[in-house]
Amino acid sequence: MSTEIYYFSGTGNSLFVAKELQKRIPDAAVIPIVSLLDQEVIQTHGEIIGFVFPAHALTIPVAVRKFIQKLDLKQSEYIFAIATRWGTVFHGFEKIDQLLKKKNKRLNSQFIFEMGGNDARNVIFTVPGKSDLLSKEKVILNKLDTIKDIIAARADSHEKDTEHT
């Protein structure tokens, strides 16, 4: 079984999540979405395909939408998505599922990570302490352990956006 984790990241949060998940899935490859966008058709080779990206304007980034539209997912059997965000509502999983349905696929699992951000409109003028950062990192790493188990079992898991509903 092979796993391909495609990521899009600006601040590094989504890259961090993708790499940490890769450590937990022995055969996983981490691939930057932007490196493939110039291709007309993007061939996937993994049985398990994942997308990791930040929430943009309450949904998926344009680059991620364009990427999914170009994907050839014939070999994939299980698809998951992880959205990273900083205090925003996220409605993008529905959009991903719509795009996948056009390819006769579906989003099997979806997860949301609350992360730090760099939006100047939401700047908090206090720097988090080391213990705050370590505490947030521990939550993220523990959640990734759970996600790894869900992916390994190819289980359906549709985490709801309970923080902002």
Side-chain angles (χ1 to χ4, degrees):
M1 168 178 28
S2 60
T3 303
E4 295 175 347
I5 304 169
Y6 295 94
Y7 76 91
F8 179 76
S9 190
T11 64
N13 286 338
S14 295
L15 175 58
F16 172 79
V17 170
K19 285 185 172 183
E20 286 296 322
L21 186 56
Q22 178 189 32
K23 290 178 185 177
R24 290 158 174 75
I25 302 174
D27 64 344
V30 172
I31 305 157
I33 286 173
V34 295
S35 71
L36 302 171
L37 283 176
D38 62 342
Q39 298 179 23
E40 289 296 317
V41 176
I42 301 167
Q43 297 292 326
T44 62
H45 304 285
E47 293 174 18
I48 297 173
I49 302 295
F51 313 115
V52 183
F53 54 86
H56 278 198
L58 312 181
T59 190
I60 62 175
V62 172
V64 174
R65 178 181 47 81
K66 289 180 179 180
F67 175 77
I68 293 172
Q69 289 171 329
K70 293 180 174 192
L71 282 178
D72 177 344
L73 293 164
K74 289 180 188 132
Q75 293 185 33
S76 67
E77 298 173 9
Y78 182 88
I79 301 171
F80 69 92
I82 299 173
T84 62
R85 64 151 181 222
W86 184 39
T88 58
V89 176
F90 182 71
H91 301 292
F93 295 130
E94 295 87 0
K95 181 64 179 173
I96 292 172
D97 208 35
Q98 288 172 359
L99 294 168
L100 292 173
K101 282 180 183 175
K102 292 177 182 177
K103 299 173 180 296
N104 295 316
K105 298 290 182 178
R106 70 182 186 94
L107 187 59
N108 299 98
S109 294
Q110 61 194 42
F111 310 95
I112 298 173
F113 278 83
E114 197 67 43
M115 309 283 283
N118 67 350
D119 187 341
R121 295 169 293 176
N122 295 322
V123 171
I124 298 171
F125 293 102
T126 58
V127 176
K130 184 175 182 177
S131 64
D132 293 334
L133 293 173
L134 291 174
S135 175
K136 185 172 274 293
E137 182 179 31
K138 183 177 180 181
V139 168
I140 291 166
L141 297 178
N142 286 339
K143 187 172 181 178
L144 283 168
D145 289 337
T146 301
I147 290 171
K148 179 247 333 165
D149 293 339
I150 291 168
I151 292 168
R154 296 186 187 195
D156 283 359
S157 180
H158 295 278
E159 181 178 21
K160 301 293 181 198
D161 188 357
T162 57
E163 292 288 319
H164 299 282
T165 54

